[in-house]
Amino acid sequence: MGIDDYGGGQASHADVLVVTTNDVPGHTVQQVIGEVFGLTVRSRHLGSQIGAGLKSMIGGELKGLTKTLVQTRNQAMERLVEQARARGANAVLMFRFDVTEAADVGTEVCAYGTAVVIVPRS
C-alpha cells in the first residue's frame, strides 16, 4: 500500500479551507456561520476481523483496519466540507475528529468544526 492509503487532508486548491487553528494568518473572519460536521459509520467486514484477530496474536500493524479508518475519516471530512460549502462558508476553523465504537458493529467517525467566511486582510 502506498502513502495515499494511509493519509488524508485537503488538496492545495480546495475551495473550502479546513484548519485546526482558531484563525488563518493573513485573513479576517468576516462571518461566523456555525458548527458543521460530517458523520459516517463503517462496519468491519469479516475478512478484516479474522485478519486482525490473527495479527493480534503475533503483533504488528493491522493494515486493513488502518486503511479502512483512513477512508472513513476522509469520507467524514468530505461530508464536513460539503456541508460548509452548502452553508456559504469558505473555511472551517477548529477542525477535529471524534472516533467512537458504534454499538459493537462498527466505527463512527465525526469530523466537526466552525464554518466561517474569511477574507484576506488589506
Side-chain angles (χ1 to χ4, degrees), residues 41-57:
V41 179
R42 292 268 177 109
S43 65
R44 297 185 270 307
H45 62 77
L46 183 59
S48 69
Q49 289 292 82
I50 292 170
L54 294 173
K55 189 72 167 188
S56 69
M57 288 185 223

Side-chain angles (χ1 to χ4, degrees), residues 2 54 91 101 107:
L54 294 173
E101 289 296 312
T107 302

Side-chain angles (χ1 to χ4, degrees), residues 74-94:
N74 288 343
Q75 183 179 45
M77 186 171 178
E78 288 168 10
R79 290 177 178 175
L80 165 102
V81 169
E82 288 172 14
Q83 187 182 67
R85 185 183 300 116
R87 294 181 63 191
N90 66 353
V92 175
L93 305 179
M94 295 297 298

